[in-house]
Amino acid sequence: MGSSFEESGMAVKRDAPVPPPLPATTLMTRKPPSGRRICCVSATTTEIWDSLFDDAYRADVSIHTTHDIIYAHSSILGLASPVFRSMFKRKGKSKKQVKQFTVPIRGVPTEAVRVFIRFLYSSCYEEEQMEEHVLSLLVLSHSFVVPRLKRECVNQLEHKFLNIDNVVDVFQLALLCDAPRLSIICHRLIIKNLKAVSLSDGWKAMKESHPVLEKELLATVAVEANMQKEKEKKMKERKVYLELYEAMEALVHICRDGCRTIGPHDKDLNKHQDPCNYEACKGLESLVRHFAGCKLRVPGGCVHCKRMWQLLELHARLCVDSNVCRVPLCKNFKERAKKQKKKDDIKWKILVKKVLRTKSITGAPYFTLVTSF
């Protein structure tokens, strides 16, 4: 029985079905090895369509380029491009028995037209050919409405072939060929490297043929420069408002808890305690000491004291409850604010609003330390 059992087991292994092969890859390869053909279909299908194009078997279309004639099939071109389809349909109606269609495609290199027509057959191209004729292929794919090739040309330009020397030409073609993403990328590259781009041959040619476009680019650069200056200005203002907010926190900390060598009279201070968490305490501590011992003290008499008066008034306008606040003169400044001129009061309110908004933008809470005990 053992022998028959083993034999039956062997038979099962011998008769097991062979798993089917994996399906062929049909997706576009984005980063192929150098010199490798890029295809959107399987290799077998590619060979068949390439052979049909190369042999021109029963071709009924002659494409006249600047220096050569390329033969093709109207049925394939018509399926791949609605422009070709409309062209053949119109010519077919004008002549009842049409044996040969003639299509002129001039103004681009003959080799670029050949690569374009081959792509309509097999959805393939050579890397070297794409690099050499990418701009012509972009124009042809847009003119004859071939979205697959147009997307591939845009992708290749965005990630591989776009540089300072050709960015102006690519930018103009992107505008003409309705490629908004590519035009935005080119526009950003031009603005970022305007000095180098303005020395290129493409810029000189654009200056002669499209002076309006040059003016628009220069105007955009000026707008970008102003926006950058405005951005830097706002960043500096935000930094000042943030420093004011931190100074308010440090002032409350000194008057309520004390900081090493300075603080309220009812607090025991320790010179050797851990470093303070408030960076503003370093400058504010010396300012408070000066304010306490300065003989001029009146506003306008001493620059440092004037600054301290302003900090105290700002604190009073931020403080929620001056009755329990430990900061000196807080209540006096609140009473003074009620009698202040409307113009001055508006200025202080704007400052308070900007200080609080700046701190809220950074993700921190509003001025809450003033009311904590």
Side-chain angles (χ1 to χ4, degrees), residues 86-100:
S86 176
M87 191 182 302
F88 299 146
K89 188 176 181 180
R90 186 170 61 253
K91 288 185 178 181
K93 287 182 179 179
S94 61
K95 298 179 181 180
K96 293 183 178 180
Q97 294 180 347
V98 178
K99 294 182 179 180
Q100 192 79 16

Side-chain angles (χ1 to χ4, degrees), residues 305-334:
C305 290
K306 183 179 179 180
R307 185 182 177 191
M308 189 65 200
W309 281 107
Q310 291 172 340
L311 291 176
L312 289 172
E313 184 164 359
L314 178 59
H315 160 80
R317 290 179 176 274
L318 287 166
C319 185
V320 178
D321 191 353
S322 59
N323 293 320
V324 295
C325 182
R326 302 292 297 273
V327 177
L329 305 177
C330 179
K331 192 171 184 178
N332 294 345
F333 274 108
K334 275 197 176 293

Side-chain angles (χ1 to χ4, degrees), residues 194-213:
L194 180 63
K195 188 174 181 181
V197 172
S198 61
L199 299 175
S200 65
D201 295 335
W203 182 276
K204 296 174 183 177
M206 179 191 67
K207 188 175 181 179
E208 295 179 2
S209 59
H210 297 90
V212 176
L213 183 59

